[in-house]
Amino acid sequence: MSTLNIGIILGSTRQGRVSPQVGEWVKGIAEARGDANYEIVDIADYKLPFFGESDSYAEAQAWAAKLATLDGFVFIVQEYNHSLTGVLKNALDSARDEWHNKAAGIVSYGSGGGVRAAEHLRGILGELSVADVRVHPLLSLFTDFENGSVFKPADLHTANVNAMLDQLLAWSGALKTLRS
């Protein structure tokens, strides 16, 4: 089987966000494994307008084209008001078939580890025919971030990320056969 391509999707676009730090940390762990191609996919780079706006075709097409090149995803999800960000929901809605029959892992953070945002994401992924894996690294704003802005993860999270990636690659490889 060919090498899998996994996108690490940053789920926030706001100024001062910490998702790039978390994404780069996950990418570093992933690349050290040498078992797939990993890349950061930053929603902010696509300038997606709200889903359904009349001028959204070009941006949505570029976003869909990027997703089509990927076999699986790691979502970096931050919790806002007990849910995921509006820009992540918009990005999920801005493509359809490009999500189908792929797998996803979730790394979340927030005051409660981002668990509520991750649970909302799981329901949306199910509707998009994306299989989410069980292992889910949870990061706390209180213990894994210094002053809420500098990411300093506890060592135990590395094992969880690796376990998530093990599951993600197994599912991504299996689901790739459905798309061939």
Side-chain angles (χ1 to χ4, degrees):
M1 181 181 294
S2 62
T3 303
L4 296 171
N5 297 310
I6 306 297
I8 301 168
I9 298 180
L10 305 183
S12 175
T13 60
R14 71 171 177 82
Q15 285 292 96
R17 63 192 172 140
V18 296
S19 60
Q21 294 175 62
V22 178
E24 288 296 336
W25 171 73
V26 169
K27 185 178 181 209
I29 294 168
E31 286 182 335
R33 298 164 53 99
D35 53 8
N37 298 318
Y38 297 92
E39 68 177 293
I40 300 288
V41 180
D42 192 345
I43 293 171
D45 292 340
Y46 291 87
K47 310 286 188 243
L48 291 167
F50 285 112
F51 177 71
E53 288 184 351
S54 61
D55 62 348
S56 66
Y57 185 76
E59 294 87 350
Q61 287 299 106
W63 174 243
K66 170 44 77 183
L67 297 175
T69 69
L70 301 170
D71 299 304
F73 314 98
V74 175
F75 288 92
I76 308 300
V77 183
Q78 40 294 111
E79 186 170 311
Y80 289 96
N81 298 322
H82 293 204
S83 192
L84 52 98
T85 64
V87 295
L88 177 55
K89 177 64 167 93
N90 187 58
L92 291 161
D93 291 342
S94 293
R96 181 121 188 113
D97 294 341
E98 295 79 13
W99 297 113
H100 290 183
N101 295 320
K102 296 182 181 179
I106 300 170
V107 176
S108 65
Y109 61 91
S111 59
V115 69
R116 294 169 293 216
E119 288 306 310
H120 287 174
L121 178 58
R122 287 180 192 280
I124 297 163
L125 293 175
E127 181 60 25
L128 293 171
S129 297
V130 176
D132 60 285
V133 301
R134 181 184 170 277
V135 176
H136 168 197
L138 301 162
L139 306 169
S140 171
L141 286 177
F142 301 117
T143 58
D144 295 307
F145 294 85
E146 186 176 280
N147 298 321
S149 62
V150 178
F151 183 50
K152 293 188 174 186
D155 291 338
L156 67 96
H157 297 305
T158 301
N160 290 333
V161 169
N162 275 307
M164 177 202 60
L165 292 171
D166 288 344
Q167 291 180 348
L168 175 63
L169 293 181
W171 278 93
S172 294
L175 289 168
K176 188 171 185 173
T177 63
L178 295 177
R179 299 190 317 275
S180 299

